[in-house]
Amino acid sequence: MKKLFKFSTATVVASGIGAAIFMLLFMFVKIPSPVPQTSFQTAYGFALFLATLYGPIAGGLSAFIGHALSDAIQYGSPWWSWVIASGIAGFIFGLGYRFTKLEEGEFTFKDALKVNLFQIIANAISWLVIAPVLDIVIYAEPADKVFIQGVTAAIMNIISAGVIGTLLIFAYVATKPKKGSLKKAQ
């Protein structure tokens, strides 16, 4: 059984590289929405892929650091309520890691459903509860504004993670030989 909270050199490297890729996607590969300060972010699809491959620590750190760096570069300082929500979403995405056998070249439709269940829960918790509540508590933002932004972000991030993330996982698994598929020639 996979260790869910394994912290290894691979986790550290994946977190660092993942944060850089998340940051670039977050800054440059997005589609603005009609709701102010929200966009369809492809970065969450990548975050699901990375978290499913390396676990919750790598998923959480890459989303948290990547979002914080993106905000700091673009706006001068991070918007902490949403940075925290991104980190929590990435962490929860990674809880699906335990139910996959990606390194063995296996990712079934049932596995995809499990992984997507985690990402839907993660996005709902992060964008419908954590980000809006922290916006109100930290920044004294109006409740109606932040909950509209949260609902919009939740829907778009569920779609991004569900489509882009799942496709990335299936593409990755297609490059891996299935366990037991290589047999010794006689």
Side-chain angles (χ1 to χ4, degrees), residues 74-99:
Q74 291 184 96
Y75 309 115
S77 70
W79 191 263
W80 289 110
S81 53
W82 284 53
V83 169
I84 291 166
S86 283
I88 290 169
F91 181 86
I92 297 171
F93 289 175
L95 296 176
Y97 161 82
R98 184 173 176 192
F99 301 103

Side-chain angles (χ1 to χ4, degrees), residues 17-32:
I17 293 170
I21 294 170
F22 187 95
M23 177 191 70
L24 293 171
L25 290 171
F26 204 79
M27 290 172 63
F28 301 115
V29 189
K30 60 187 174 184
I31 302 167

Side-chain angles (χ1 to χ4, degrees), residues 41 44-45 47-48 85-86 88-90 92-93 115-132 150-162:
Q41 291 286 356
Y44 292 102
L48 178 67
S86 283
I88 290 169
I92 297 171
F93 289 175
V115 165
N116 276 286
L117 179 62
F118 279 100
Q119 71 90 359
I120 290 167
I121 291 167
N123 279 308
I125 290 169
S126 295
W127 308 115
L128 299 177
V129 179
I130 294 169
V151 167
T152 305
I155 292 166
M156 291 187 298
N157 293 342
I158 286 168
I159 294 168
S160 172

